[in-house]
Amino acid sequence: MIHSTSNSQLDSFDENNQNTIWIGSKGAWTMFAIAILFAKYLFGLTGMEAGTAWSIVHILHVSVSFVTFHWVKGSPVDTMSNSSSQGRTDPLTWWEQLDGGNQWTQNKKYLAFLVVFTYIAAVYATLFHPFMILIHTGFLCLGLIPKLPGLYRVRLFGINED
């Protein structure tokens, strides 16, 4: 386990970080919930069983969230706005930039809740099939463990290190 080095310049976050400020804006939480329910609805329209549809939604949600929130570093918005971070966010993931790095904020709790919600929906819809519980629990761990405060700016085994 390798901890990223702390740097006071990196820890002084801009409150107007265009990469993350949108999550606190009006309607962002609703948009996330509607997107998840809409995805389930679209899979349902194809004639898929509810268990299969919720399983795909859960696995896609966790996979996309992991890559975009916990893997990709920097700020793609930086080059498109007038409020440049001047490279301060380059070594940080989106999750580490969110809410100025503060832990257990309302935004972070809600995003963690969505992972748990899709897990419960998928497990319930698959009628608690033991194999599916195992698969979904693995994805639940992939979706929740990186969100824990103890893993803030931690790169396991040097993976995704600068």
Side-chain angles (χ1 to χ4, degrees), residues 20-30 107:
T20 59
I21 197 167
W22 62 269
I23 193 69
S25 63
K26 186 176 183 178
W29 289 14
T30 306
N107 290 328

Side-chain angles (χ1 to χ4, degrees), residues 44-155:
L45 284 179
T46 64
M48 231 179 254
E49 293 181 7
T52 305
W54 274 116
S55 292
I56 292 172
V57 167
H58 174 65
I59 290 168
L60 278 176
H61 176 253
V62 170
S63 300
V64 169
S65 296
F66 179 80
V67 170
T68 57
F69 294 174
H70 305 290
W71 192 264
V72 176
K73 292 193 241 176
S75 177
V77 182
D78 225 15
T79 58
M80 297 183 281
S81 71
N82 292 333
S83 62
S84 174
S85 69
Q86 299 179 350
R88 287 180 299 168
T89 60
D90 289 351
L92 302 175
T93 64
W94 187 86
W95 189 262
E96 293 163 344
Q97 296 174 43
L98 181 61
D99 295 330
N102 295 319
Q103 303 301 316
W104 297 120
T105 61
Q106 294 300 317
N107 290 328
K108 289 185 176 186
K109 288 178 188 178
Y110 180 72
L111 293 171
F113 162 77
L114 289 178
V115 174
V116 174
F117 170 77
T118 58
Y119 170 78
I120 291 170
V123 168
Y124 179 79
T126 56
L127 305 173
F128 302 98
H129 188 276
F131 179 72
M132 294 309 292
I133 290 175
L134 181 66
I135 297 294
H136 289 300
T137 301
F139 276 92
L140 176 71
C141 292
L142 182 66
L144 287 182
I145 290 175
K147 292 174 174 49
L148 296 174
L151 291 177
Y152 177 72
R153 296 177 72 184
V154 171
R155 307 291 181 251

